[in-house]
Amino acid sequence: MAHSLQIGDAAPNFQARSTQGNISLSDFRGKWLVLFSHPADFTPVCTSEFVALAKAKDRFDAIGCALIAVSVDSLYSHFGWISAIREGLGVSLNFPIVEDPSLVIGRAYGMISDRSQDASAMRSSYYIDPEGIIRAVTTYPATIGRSVEEMLRIVAALQRVDQGGAVTPEGWHPGDPALIPPPLDVQSFAERASDPLWFYKFEGSSK
Ligand code: BEZ
């Protein structure tokens, strides 16, 4: 059975060939990183995602977050796809795409379903913090594209939470008020308990 990584696990290191040269995951320590798998090169949903990610790359850079794509396709397939996208759509894929023909990375991360009829990876994304810890994971079916806005939002929300003193509500975006974390000891609970909404307070609220 493939091992599926969970939040809090250390991201397994790997060394692999990519469209931007050899990559070792450990080289990305000290930065936020989104490592994401895609089912196959030259497919419509993946093309839409990669074009949107390339256009948003400066926004990931601005929040100190690198991008690494990985699929079971060979490096030469990746080169051909990059070239076709550049020629056909005028977009340069400006992040590394790793080859994983031996499925070593896919299996280590659980990107490949045990029940899949082929070896293509699922559409999984691993949000890895500067210490190399997996902080969020999403998995979509091959038929549904990810939202690049949501990918950016997840990284920004993790960074906001790491600043301390807050958790992020539904639909939070940078600049929006965050929520005060729930009390974790009886003293902090007692300080708030006279308010019927003691469990739901935004930062900066008076009570
Ligand atoms: C796609 O990216 O369009 C795709 C890939 C695999 C199966 C179905 C769709």
Side-chain angles (χ1 to χ4, degrees):
M1 177 156 175
H3 177 59
S4 211
L5 292 172
Q6 297 182 356
I7 290 173
D9 288 345
N13 194 27
F14 61 80
Q15 292 180 334
R17 297 197 302 182
S18 91
T19 52
Q20 295 186 1
N22 288 348
I23 275 191
S24 174
L25 194 81
S26 55
D27 293 343
F28 290 80
R29 272 299 157 79
K31 289 195 75 146
W32 285 86
L33 171 66
V34 185
L35 172 69
F36 55 99
S37 58
H38 66 284
D41 296 349
F42 294 101
T43 52
V45 177
C46 297
T47 301
S48 71
E49 288 184 331
F50 277 51
V51 166
L53 282 162
K55 289 181 177 170
K57 169 78 164 36
D58 56 342
R59 296 172 66 198
F60 284 96
D61 288 343
I63 56 173
C65 183
L67 298 172
I68 302 180
V70 57
S71 82
V72 301
D73 302 281
S74 75
L75 196 56
Y76 301 99
S77 168
H78 292 336
F79 288 145
W81 190 35
I82 287 175
S83 197
I85 288 175
R86 192 185 304 114
E87 279 173 32
L89 297 170
V91 174
S92 293
L93 297 186
N94 47 11
F95 47 83
I97 311 175
V98 164
E99 69 166 2
D100 185 31
S102 62
L103 320 187
V104 168
I105 302 168
R107 291 216 168 101
Y109 278 78
M111 293 165 172
I112 295 164
S113 166
D114 293 338
R115 289 178 289 285
S116 172
Q117 289 175 354
D118 60 39
S120 65
M122 295 179 285
R123 212 175 282 289
S124 296
S125 307
Y126 300 83
Y127 296 82
I128 302 171
D129 74 13
E131 315 299 323
I133 302 299
I134 294 174
R135 299 288 300 281
V137 181
T138 64
T139 300
Y140 288 20
T143 46
I144 296 178
R146 285 162 283 214
S147 157
V148 170
E149 287 302 324
E150 179 64 0
M151 294 170 80
L152 281 159
R153 197 188 78 88
I154 289 172
V155 178
L158 289 166
Q159 292 175 341
R160 172 64 192 92
V161 167
D162 280 6
Q163 286 169 14
V167 289
T168 58
E170 184 281 329
W172 179 90
H173 279 95
D176 292 346
L179 285 162
I180 296 168
L184 294 176
D185 57 70
V186 73
Q187 170 74 21
S188 352
F189 172 69
E191 282 164 15
R192 297 200 214 167
S194 59
D195 182 341
L197 271 182
W198 60 267
F199 51 89
Y200 188 61
K201 291 280 155 234
F202 282 87
E203 60 183 353
S205 61
S206 53
K207 286 204 272 179

